[in-house]
Amino acid sequence: MRLDPAITRALSLDPATTTVASRGGSGFSTTAKISSTLASGAQKHFFMKTGRGGDAEIMFAGEHASLNAIHAAVPSLCPASFAHGRLAENPEGAFLVTEFLDLGARSAASSSSSAEGGEESSGLSLAAKVGKLHTTPAPVPEGYSKAVFGFPVTTCCGDSAQPNGYRESWAEFYAENRLLAILTKSERTNGKDRELRDMVEKTANVVVPRLLRDGHLNGGRGVMPVVVHGDLWSGNQGRGRIGGRGGVEDVVFDPSSCYAHGEYELGIMKMFGGFGGAFMREYHEVCPKTEPVGEYEDRVSLYEL
């Protein structure tokens, strides 16, 4: 398997000392492991995804930004991304290259606070890491005086592109950029359904302001934008070693991030299961429930839509 010149340039690798091995793939991309001997003599490994068409380019740009936003907040939670773009020898193809995440490393049942494989981990469980992620303030985007909701690029949840234009109101972002945007995509794909549109519009115009309006949450203080994974379910988390350093620990991958209300993450987590009561208790020790706490379950149910 030959490495495309666009990737060797992006990573400053010597093709003569670099090899590529297939790692399978998914319905959206083909994956591979890049191994290269650097000028220092050290071996470095990378993880590569490739795909075809404009959709792949959008997807990889979103994943690149998502990984780096999460990594910036909690470095031990996911790999950093190094590069993405179009392939040189196949202009219809696109690529993404990240740190290599070795999920095949010893998957111990012991606590993540312990060292594994003779190397020390961060000492943080997945619940503690996600709690830290959801309590780390989002950066202030260029042109704004404070952090806002949204993301600098479009992201994809599965093959569905998600518009992430910035908004100062969380309720407005969730209603317009998620509920109504998904409805519009559904209508383009499946045709219009008057009953469905009425239900979604009522949810966006009545339920969302009732539960999420800025003057209602946290005693009128609103919620702080934080980065969320965006597609966190049991299939997008595991145990591994990032970039060949440290111990084996809890990690996540395949994100579809935005700067959001932290509880937004919990909708997908609850929908697909895999995160039990012990996880949620530990998570909420780090990231308390938003006020009013009595409406917490209603908000999480809303975020499942």
Side-chain angles (χ1 to χ4, degrees):
M1 187 175 182
R2 184 173 180 275
L3 193 60
D4 190 275
I7 300 172
T8 56
R9 287 195 298 267
L11 301 178
S12 299
L13 299 179
D14 180 356
T17 60
T18 301
T19 61
V20 188
S22 174
R23 301 284 291 193
S26 68
F28 307 117
S29 63
T30 300
T31 61
K33 179 181 181 179
I34 302 171
S35 300
S36 186
T37 302
L38 306 181
S40 64
Q43 273 275 319
K44 190 169 180 65
H45 304 292
F46 306 86
F47 179 72
M48 176 180 70
K49 288 184 178 182
T50 56
R52 292 177 60 84
D55 290 346
E57 191 171 7
I58 293 170
M59 184 181 296
F60 293 157
E63 186 172 348
H64 171 83
S66 296
L67 286 169
N68 287 339
I70 295 171
H71 188 82
V74 187
S76 64
L77 184 53
C78 77
S81 181
F82 295 123
H84 69 95
R86 290 195 176 190
L87 297 171
E89 295 183 342
N90 178 12
E92 293 184 358
F95 72 89
L96 169 75
V97 180
T98 75
E99 290 184 298
F100 186 75
L101 175 56
D102 186 4
L103 294 173
R106 189 175 152 213
S107 181
S110 59
S111 167
S112 63
S113 63
S114 63
E116 297 179 25
E119 296 184 72
E120 201 166 313
S121 71
S122 69
L124 296 174
S125 67
L126 181 61
K129 290 181 183 183
V130 175
K132 183 178 180 182
L133 185 71
H134 293 171
T135 52
T136 301
V140 178
E142 185 176 351
Y144 288 83
S145 60
K146 63 177 183 178
V148 291
F149 302 98
F151 209 54
V153 297
T154 297
T155 51
C156 297
C157 191
D159 62 352
S160 297
Q162 300 181 125
N164 289 319
Y166 289 125
R167 297 181 188 268
E168 295 190 9
S169 163
W170 168 243
E172 183 180 349
F173 179 88
Y174 185 65
E176 297 290 338
N177 294 52
R178 289 297 180 264
L179 296 181
L180 294 173
I182 293 170
L183 174 64
T184 299
K185 176 179 174 57
S186 173
E187 289 179 337
R188 285 199 302 264
T189 304
N190 305 307
K192 293 187 176 182
D193 182 313
R194 185 70 255 175
E195 184 178 1
L196 176 61
R197 171 161 282 278
D198 288 345
M199 292 173 61
V200 175
E201 287 183 341
K202 185 173 183 179
T203 302
N205 297 328
V206 178
V207 180
V208 169
R210 166 64 183 83
L211 291 175
L212 306 182
R213 68 186 186 278
D214 295 336
H216 181 62
L217 297 175
N218 284 328
R221 300 188 307 277
V223 293
M224 174 180 69
V226 298
V227 66
V228 297
H229 178 284
D231 191 18
L232 185 53
W233 62 292
S234 58
N236 282 345
Q237 60 90 20
R239 291 183 62 76
R241 180 178 288 112
I242 300 173
R245 63 182 182 276
V248 177
E249 58 184 300
D250 294 326
V251 292
V252 300
F253 40 89
D254 291 346
S256 176
S257 295
C258 65
Y259 299 120
H261 180 200
E263 289 179 354
Y264 170 62
E265 191 95 271
L266 308 185
I268 290 179
M269 293 170 65
K270 180 181 176 184
M271 187 188 314
F272 292 104
F275 302 91
F279 177 100
M280 296 309 302
R281 285 190 294 273
E282 184 180 358
Y283 167 81
H284 283 305
E285 288 178 2
V286 181
C287 184
K289 296 175 182 178
T290 299
E291 295 285 351
V293 173
E295 295 177 357
Y296 166 80
E297 296 291 345
D298 292 333
R299 291 192 300 270
V300 174
S301 294
L302 177 61
Y303 293 147
E304 288 188 64
L305 298 179

